[in-house]
Amino acid sequence: MIGTFLFKIGSFGVPSMGACVFVGAILAVLLSWLLRKKSALDWNGEFVDAIITAVLLGFVGMKLLYWIVTPNAFRDAFSLGFFQGLLSLIMEGMVFYGGLIGGIIGIALVAKKKKKHFFEFTDLFAPCFCVAHAFGRIGCLLVGCCYGLATGETSQFGILTYGGTCAVHYADGATRLPVPLMESIFLLLLCVVLVLIFRNEKHLGTATGWYLTLYAIWRFVIEMFRGDAVRGKFGPLYTSQWISLLILLAGVAVLIYSRKLKKGAPFQVFREDDLTVPEPEKAAEEAAEEPEEPEEAIEEPEEATEEPAEEPAEEAEEPEEAEEPAEEPEGKA
């Protein structure tokens, strides 16, 4: 664990979480660019609009859900003063599921505006989400949030006891399970699986369904090994576990529904014909062949005039046969 800042020079410091989120966002955009040829979306237009909207509404969703599950956030923040408290509310504390829900709403709005199928966006976004989320969890590890159980603590339901293997030393002196690092590894593996599904699957929505299903299962299980119970608990389950159950049901429903959908044709900015330059000789031949159609239209009346011209010629030959009776009187003489 490094701390709030990666490094500091005087009063200036580079935030650990901010740096990790920035790197994750850049890699996610790069991955989407590499996968663009398998998508029916215009990457420069439709995809960029969707990602901007998803990021903005995702940020709002992360903050709203954090404030909901952490009601003391406002009291603790403003105890430091109004302006400092306002900055703390904006910059500190986020819940991933809130960001996921907000991002999905943003994508749905763009899909409706662009008149594209919702799953055209989410299938491409799914592996990109995993990359950005994985680096965000590395940021959690560095700053010490979303921490796991301490050595000797009993997990949820009293099923397992953490013995200290692969423990990470935190600032409070406790050795804890590195839950954020474990989730980062899982998310990167899930990203690889989703890329393979996105590239090879013929049914629209399949990558989205598997993303929701597999991550919901993982998140439900890994919540048992987290030690930050302050994030909220309702009945026997934590807030994120209840949401995971809903996400799991949604993922299964999407997988069933996706069997009825076929992927659209990949989007092409340019057609192959537009990218080929004809040779000068072929271009001249094509230019010469173009006016042939009007010439054929002019020749048609000539054929019509030639046929009636032959008939009078045949009629003119008929009187020649009448010359034979004129020779008979000479033979009689």
Side-chain angles (χ1 to χ4, degrees), residues 294-307:
E295 289 179 2
E296 292 177 0
I298 296 171
E299 288 177 0
E300 289 179 0
E302 292 179 2
E303 294 176 359
T305 54
E306 287 176 2
E307 290 179 359

Side-chain angles (χ1 to χ4, degrees), residues 195-321:
V195 167
L196 294 176
I197 293 174
F198 178 76
R199 290 176 58 87
N200 300 315
E201 180 59 48
K202 303 301 181 184
H203 293 279
L204 194 65
T206 305
T208 302
W210 280 117
Y211 168 68
L212 296 175
T213 301
L214 294 176
Y215 182 74
I217 294 172
W218 163 264
R219 184 61 183 270
F220 186 93
V221 174
I222 200 64
E223 283 291 309
M224 298 181 185
F225 302 96
R226 286 182 59 170
D228 52 343
V230 68
R231 63 194 179 280
K233 189 175 183 180
F234 299 94
L237 302 179
Y238 293 110
T239 305
S240 295
Q241 288 178 317
W242 286 114
I243 298 175
S244 295
L245 292 177
L246 297 177
I247 296 294
L248 176 61
L249 293 176
V252 173
V254 170
L255 287 175
I256 296 173
Y257 180 66
S258 67
R259 297 298 94 187
K260 301 178 181 179
L261 302 176
K262 293 289 184 180
K263 273 188 177 180
F267 180 83
Q268 293 182 347
V269 179
F270 298 104
R271 295 175 301 174
E272 292 183 0
D273 297 339
D274 298 333
L275 298 177
T276 56
V277 179
E279 297 178 1
E281 296 178 358
K282 292 183 179 180
E285 291 176 2
E286 291 176 359
E289 291 175 359
E290 287 180 358
E292 286 184 0
E293 294 181 358
E295 289 179 2
E296 292 177 0
I298 296 171
E299 288 177 0
E300 289 179 0
E302 292 179 2
E303 294 176 359
T305 54
E306 287 176 2
E307 290 179 359
E310 292 177 358
E311 292 178 0
E314 292 177 358
E315 292 176 359
E317 291 175 359
E318 290 179 1
E320 293 179 0
E321 296 177 359

Side-chain angles (χ1 to χ4, degrees), residues 110-125:
V110 175
K112 183 178 180 180
K113 180 181 178 182
K114 300 292 184 179
K115 297 181 179 180
K116 291 287 186 178
H117 200 288
F118 173 73
F119 291 140
E120 292 280 6
F121 290 93
T122 55
D123 282 351
L124 179 58
F125 270 63

